[in-house]
């Protein structure tokens, strides 16, 4: 299994002129942590989030697409300014490393930067700003613990050279979906983040 990105045209009720732009490598036999959020940056690029497929250490490997944000041109080619383009042994499509399973992604309405949230294990769901070549820590650092046993994962919650989350939840809320509020109905909420919680059946508002 592996997450893939395809483009096509909608002709009535049919997809035509379909073309696969990206295939995750290596593949996996696992059936979870696919990621799969798609965001266009309005500058000719598309972002795709990929989970670690439940194989934690893959998120720290440069030769593995898993556990990262992928950045492509809209035709599927690799942008020349991607952080790992031309680096021996690295997948040039990678934009970040160290991500567990991002299931919310949106562009900040003022800065244009990609923000994401990802599932932690037992605790440690995170909100982060995705920046080129940054390491977001999984599974080296996390605010979560191992399922069932509650034992520590990795080296702790912070490490030099690794990004700290802007916000994290302990216990987990199981976040899914993410949007910046820019409406007029609630002017005090403008610029806030709205996040769905699968665990608690509610909408969470974050003011960061």
């Amino acid at each position: 299994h592996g997450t893939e990105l395809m483009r096509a045209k909608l002709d009535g009720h049919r997809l035509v002129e379909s073309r696969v732009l990206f295939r995750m490598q290596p593949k996996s036999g696992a059936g979870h942590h696919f990621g799969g959020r798609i965001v266009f940056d309005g500058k000719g690029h598309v972002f795709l989030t990929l989970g670690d497929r439940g194989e934690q250490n893959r998120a720290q490997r440069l030769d593995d697409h898993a556990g990262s944000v992928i950045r492509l041109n809209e035709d599927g080619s690799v942008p020349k300014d991607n952080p790992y383009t031309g680096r021996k042994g690295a997948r040039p499509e990678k934009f970040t490393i160290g991500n567990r399973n991002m299931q919310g992604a949106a562009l900040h309405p003022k800065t244009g930067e990609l923000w994401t949230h990802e599932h932690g294990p037992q605790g440690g769901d995170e909100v982060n700003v995705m920046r080129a070549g940054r390491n977001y820590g999984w599974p080296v650092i996390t605010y979560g613990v191992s399922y069932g046993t509650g034992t520590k994962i990795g080296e702790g919650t912070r490490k030099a050279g690794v990004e700290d989350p802007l916000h994290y939840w302990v216990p987990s809320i199981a976040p899914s979906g993410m949007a910046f509020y820019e409406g007029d109905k609630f002017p005090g909420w403008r610029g806030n983040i709205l996040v769905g919680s699968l665990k608690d059946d509610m909408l969470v508002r974050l003011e960061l």
Side-chain angles (χ1 to χ4, degrees), residues 174-195:
S176 183
M178 179 179 185
F180 286 93
Y181 182 77
E182 287 295 297
D184 297 324
K185 189 73 172 179
F186 305 102
W189 289 14
R190 288 196 191 110
N192 290 185
I193 301 172
L194 301 179
V195 175

Side-chain angles (χ1 to χ4, degrees), residues 7-25:
R7 68 181 299 166
K9 292 182 179 180
L10 182 63
D11 182 9
H13 297 285
R14 298 182 307 122
L15 290 178
V16 299
E17 299 180 35
S18 61
R19 182 164 65 93
V20 174
L21 301 182
F22 171 81
R23 291 184 169 93
M24 188 196 84
Q25 296 292 338

Side-chain angles (χ1 to χ4, degrees), residues 60-140:
Q60 289 294 321
R61 296 179 61 97
L62 293 182
D63 62 351
D64 192 324
H65 286 133
S68 63
V69 170
I70 299 300
R71 179 177 180 254
L72 303 169
N73 294 317
E74 291 182 13
D75 64 0
S77 62
V78 178
K80 293 180 180 179
D81 62 348
N82 267 11
Y84 303 112
T85 299
R87 182 166 174 174
K88 185 177 180 180
R91 300 278 180 177
E93 300 89 354
K94 289 172 76 76
F95 189 70
T96 67
I97 65 172
N99 301 108
R100 186 173 184 264
N101 190 27
M102 296 164 284
Q103 292 195 343
L107 292 184
H108 190 282
K110 292 184 179 179
T111 68
E113 290 183 302
L114 179 70
W115 290 46
T116 69
H117 66 60
E118 62 185 89
H119 290 266
Q122 190 170 305
D125 303 335
E126 297 182 2
V127 174
N128 291 292
V129 182
M130 297 291 104
R131 293 183 172 133
R134 301 290 179 90
N135 184 345
Y136 291 85
W138 178 254
V140 179

